[in-house]
Amino acid sequence: MPSTDVLIVGGGIVGLATAYHLARDFPGRSVTIVEKESQLAQHQTGHNSGVLHSGIYYKPGSLRAVNCRAGKAAMEQFCAAENIPYNICGKVIVAVSDSELPALAKIYERGQANGVKCEMIDRERLHELEPHAAGVRAIHVPEAGIVDFPAVCRRLAQRIRETGRQIHCEAPVRSIQQNHDAIVVDTLAGEFEAKYLVTCAGLQSDRVARLSGQQIDSKIVPFRGEYFELKPEAQHLCRNLIYPVPDPNFPFLGVHFTRLIHGGIECGPNAVLAFAREGYRKIDFSLADTMETLTFPGFLRLARKYWRTGLGEMWRSVSKRAFVQALQRLAPEIREEHLVPAESGVRAQAVARDGTMVDDFLIVESERVINVCNAPSPAATASLNIGRLIVEKLTTRWK
Ligand SMILES: Cc1cc2nc3c(=O)[nH]c(=O)nc-3n(C[C@H](O)[C@H](O)[C@H](O)COP(=O)(O)OP(=O)(O)OC[C@H]3O[C@@H](n4cnc5c(N)ncnc54)[C@H](O)[C@@H]3O)c2cc1C
């Protein structure tokens, strides 16, 4: 049985960033990644908006705030050093009515507290930056950007492999046993023995954490985010990134316009309950996944509280006109015929038993196991710092 110091489950950006730091900073330690798909970064990391978030939204001092700030700086440095396309193009968060001004002011305060370079701007300045955006006032965040996260993952994997560390694809974890001095992980590609285990399994993170013996109170609820792309003749309607003022009750940012690093403008994502954890199409359905969600008391409590918002999101999913109306609040000239459907993503959102959505990153630890149980946006931006943090946690164990 192959033996390794650290076994990492999950070849998304968080697992890869962790392995990268280990391989680079601890040449004497062996590291192995097991990934269930045939290629890396096939789930959240390969299906997101590609935005380098500034950290403006998050509660000061939270893991999201701290890791986003440090992770963004590290990601920019990595991309610059490795010649990976990224662009600090700036973004605007737009209040479209006076009623949104207090929430906009709160975001601005958070930005200040988190050390984000941002400026409150009036309608005239907004129109200089985004001539087709509506809005009575906005926050300009010049340091927000866009990047190619899959390219980042390919390079991280290359750097990990160059140091002789192994990445096994098509190796879904089936069971995990802890013995006195080792952990045995059974995968479809064979068994692995490890001294330490790190799990970064995204949409399956709660299941894999439970397999590893961790008692966790939350469950992953999958929320699909659907996108459209602007046809070339409408792409002049957005220069960079145009975001609404988000609903403070939800961890999602609301449908927005995103310039893509390789050209084109994406619109979305909405946030619809998915009936399969890896259900990228509206028709995807898994009885096991759906039953697990619908019988979880945390989900039932969440649904009871927010059923109206949920129905609104579902309506925007089936009605293109409703989706366009949401976009028209930000850019009134957008028409249904400007949009073509694009690929969806599915967010892994941990929901606690009491019905609250786990807002912050959640990392649960035991003696030899570290489970990443909630790594929602901006975890791609923050990944290099999350990886560094996990490695710090490991080093306290082997000192
Ligand atoms: C629609 C959408 C838009 C987003 N936009 C942004 C954005 O603009 N900027 C940003 O910073 N973040 C964004 N995010 C969030 C970001 O994509 C995620 O936070 C990040 O990708 C999480 O990375 P991860 O490695 O934890 O998870 P994932 O990328 O989901 O990787 C988990 C991996 O674990 C593997 N795995 C699962 N189970 C097993 C098993 N049993 N055995 C082996 N392997 C297993 C999976 O196959 C997968 O490859 C967005 C997310 C979504 C869905």
Side-chain angles (χ1 to χ4, degrees), residues 8-16 34-37 39-53 58 68 145 147 149 153 168 171-174 187 200-205 207-208 211 223-227 243 253 256 258 269-270 278 280 344-348 361 372 374-383 386:
I8 297 174
V9 180
I13 201 163
V14 175
L16 288 165
V34 290
E35 162 55 48
K36 77 180 170 78
E37 305 296 345
Q39 286 174 49
L40 300 169
Q42 293 299 290
H43 290 292
Q44 295 176 93
T45 303
H47 289 91
N48 65 34
S49 300
V51 173
L52 277 172
H53 285 295
Y58 317 115
C68 185
V147 67
F149 285 125
C153 289
H168 297 268
V173 171
R174 297 185 295 197
T187 78
C200 315
L203 286 155
Q204 312 292 341
S205 57
R207 290 173 176 164
V208 175
L211 279 184
F223 286 95
R224 192 173 52 252
E226 294 155 338
Y227 291 93
Y243 279 61
L253 298 178
H256 46 262
T258 311
N270 55 5
E278 292 163 8
Y280 293 94
S344 310
V346 184
R347 306 174 185 83
F361 298 152
V372 178
N374 194 45
S377 185
T381 303
S383 53
I386 301 175

Side-chain angles (χ1 to χ4, degrees), residues 8 13-22 24-26 63 66-71 73-74 77 198 200 363 370 372 382-396 398:
I8 297 174
I13 201 163
V14 175
L16 288 165
T18 306
Y20 170 76
H21 279 294
L22 276 169
R24 197 193 58 182
D25 300 339
F26 295 91
L63 284 176
V66 172
N67 284 282
C68 185
R69 294 300 296 152
Q77 237 174 25
V198 178
C200 315
I363 300 176
I370 297 175
V372 178
S383 53
L384 285 169
N385 212 60
I386 301 175
R388 203 184 50 74
L389 183 78
I390 293 171
V391 171
E392 267 173 28
K393 290 177 184 295
L394 285 169
T395 54
T396 60
W398 67 48

Side-chain angles (χ1 to χ4, degrees), residues 12-13 36-37 79 118 137 140 152 156 163 241 249 311 395:
I13 201 163
K36 77 180 170 78
E37 305 296 345
C79 291
C118 58
R137 217 163 156 69
H140 179 217
V152 170
L156 289 172
T163 66
L241 307 172
N249 290 315
L311 284 182
T395 54

